[in-house]
Amino acid sequence: MEKKIQNGEEEEELKGPSSSGDGSICGYDSLHRLLKDNLKPHHFQEVSRLLTGLHCGKALETIDLPESVSTVSVKHGFDLQAFRFHADKELLREPRVVRVGLIQNSIPLPTTAHFSDQKKAIFKKLEPIIDAAGASGVNILCLQEAWMMPFAFCTREKRWCEFAEPVDGETTKFLQSFALKYNMVIISPILERDINHGEVIWNTAVVIGNHGNIIGKHRKNHIPRVGDFNESTYYMEGNTGHPVFETAFGKIAINICYGRHHPLNWLAFGLNGAEIVFNPSATVGELSEPMWTIEARNAAIANSYFVASINRVGTEIFPNPFTSGDGKPAHPDFGHFYGSSHVSAPDASCTPSLSRNRDGLLVTDMDLNLCRQLKDKWGFRMTSRYDLYAETLAHYVKPDFEPQLISDPLLRKKSL
Ligand SMILES: NC(=O)NCCC(=O)O
């Protein structure tokens, strides 16, 4: 950032897309903290009202977590934040409060380290954060996309395929003990090797039940072909549809990363009855940051469910530089994964985001009764006209489809 003098006042001039090389926002680790520290309290209140919405007419409440958990977060240097979404009290239904935990983390070892050491180091790094989630009473925990490896899909090098493992492989086994210990459902996004089908590879989220059992899996539906996200070199579009997993704590689904740009993907999870949709992601600042909260909040609003968004954090450097096919020089990294994990509610409110440049654990209580209350209030399902769209889509997917375009006849007339 540079200072310049204009009208006798010192002004700061922004240079480039991100002003701080350490992944912070001008020295602050989140937009929320930048605003809070720089605005007058009543200005901050108004800005927050518009930026993160009011929840039940008020700013979102924070939750006090056990002292021991805060101590662990300080010791291990991860951001710890906790919030609560309420619902109106109902006469015929008890509240259904679920505590959700989201973990974002950087990779601890350089990508040049032995693969097995890299994986072990990630497990070791995650242990205290998962323990902190368990000690906070988290019911459902979700990790970031392909959390057990560096996000090497930019490189197009096949050697990273070695990280792939079966659904019941070592990563699942590692997490099963935590699920059992803390009576916690865990969503574990991995690079999957499907042994029974010719050892093909998928981008998969494994759902581990609160008894340590494997409930099922979902494979990423939409594979990016944008920027350095060369994921199509490694795996194909998923073949598991839009499953919703009925767990001890609610009906959940997983929309993996790039699937968040596809409104019909969100819709299908909603049609199957999801109450919380998790969006484990790996995405970088220059590409997607302005979309990040908008898409999640829009999905939560449109589908009357909670959306829990998790992004990787940090910059991962690879041994061999690669190009983006845009004529620019080869580079060894994707750019900065901007963290900023957060939760969006169906009433259009959302939590502040976790840090942009540090590991983090976000704990959020949500009363799932809010989903039906919002359906009753706004009636999006009732007014949705799915039959109309089913007809349009049925036409659209046929090779002889023609757009329903009515041109102004005067466009074709010669001017007099
Ligand atoms: N991991 C992944 O699908 N990233 C694509 C980039 C984006 O969707 O922002």
Side-chain angles (χ1 to χ4, degrees), residues 219-236:
R219 291 172 174 157
K220 182 170 181 172
N221 276 335
H222 299 272
I223 308 292
R225 289 158 175 83
V226 58
D228 290 328
F229 289 89
N230 300 315
E231 297 174 41
S232 56
T233 305
Y234 296 88
Y235 36 80
M236 299 298 289

Side-chain angles (χ1 to χ4, degrees), residues 178 228 330 411:
F178 290 98
D228 290 328
L411 282 177

Side-chain angles (χ1 to χ4, degrees), residues 145 151 220 224 229 231 257-258 260-261 282-283 287-288:
E145 185 179 17
F151 209 73
K220 182 170 181 172
F229 289 89
E231 297 174 41
C257 196
Y258 183 77
R260 75 185 185 283
H261 309 300
T283 186
L287 182 70
S288 67

Side-chain angles (χ1 to χ4, degrees), residues 98-103 126-143 172 174-188 206-215 247-250 252 278 361-363:
V98 176
R99 184 163 283 194
V100 164
L102 311 180
I103 294 179
L126 267 278
E127 251 177 49
I129 316 184
I130 301 175
D131 276 327
S136 304
V138 162
N139 302 123
I140 309 175
L141 179 69
C142 186
L143 308 181
T172 301
F174 169 74
L175 291 175
Q176 280 174 308
S177 57
F178 290 98
L180 199 55
K181 179 172 174 193
Y182 293 114
N183 188 34
M184 183 160 75
V185 170
I186 304 184
I187 300 165
S188 170
V206 181
V207 182
I208 302 169
N210 55 317
H211 299 292
N213 52 315
I214 298 174
I215 301 180
T247 72
F249 306 111
I252 62 171
F278 292 86
L361 168 64
L362 177 65
V363 175

Side-chain angles (χ1 to χ4, degrees), residues 288-315:
S288 67
E289 203 164 4
M291 304 167 164
W292 178 238
T293 52
I294 292 175
E295 289 174 316
R297 292 177 74 185
N298 185 53
I301 295 164
N303 297 291
S304 309
Y305 53 47
F306 289 91
V307 171
S309 310
I310 308 102
N311 188 18
R312 293 172 86 97
V313 70
T315 304

Side-chain angles (χ1 to χ4, degrees), residues 268-286:
F269 292 118
L271 296 182
N272 283 330
E275 294 167 304
I276 312 169
V277 179
F278 292 86
N279 178 228
S281 298
T283 186
V284 291
E286 262 185 72

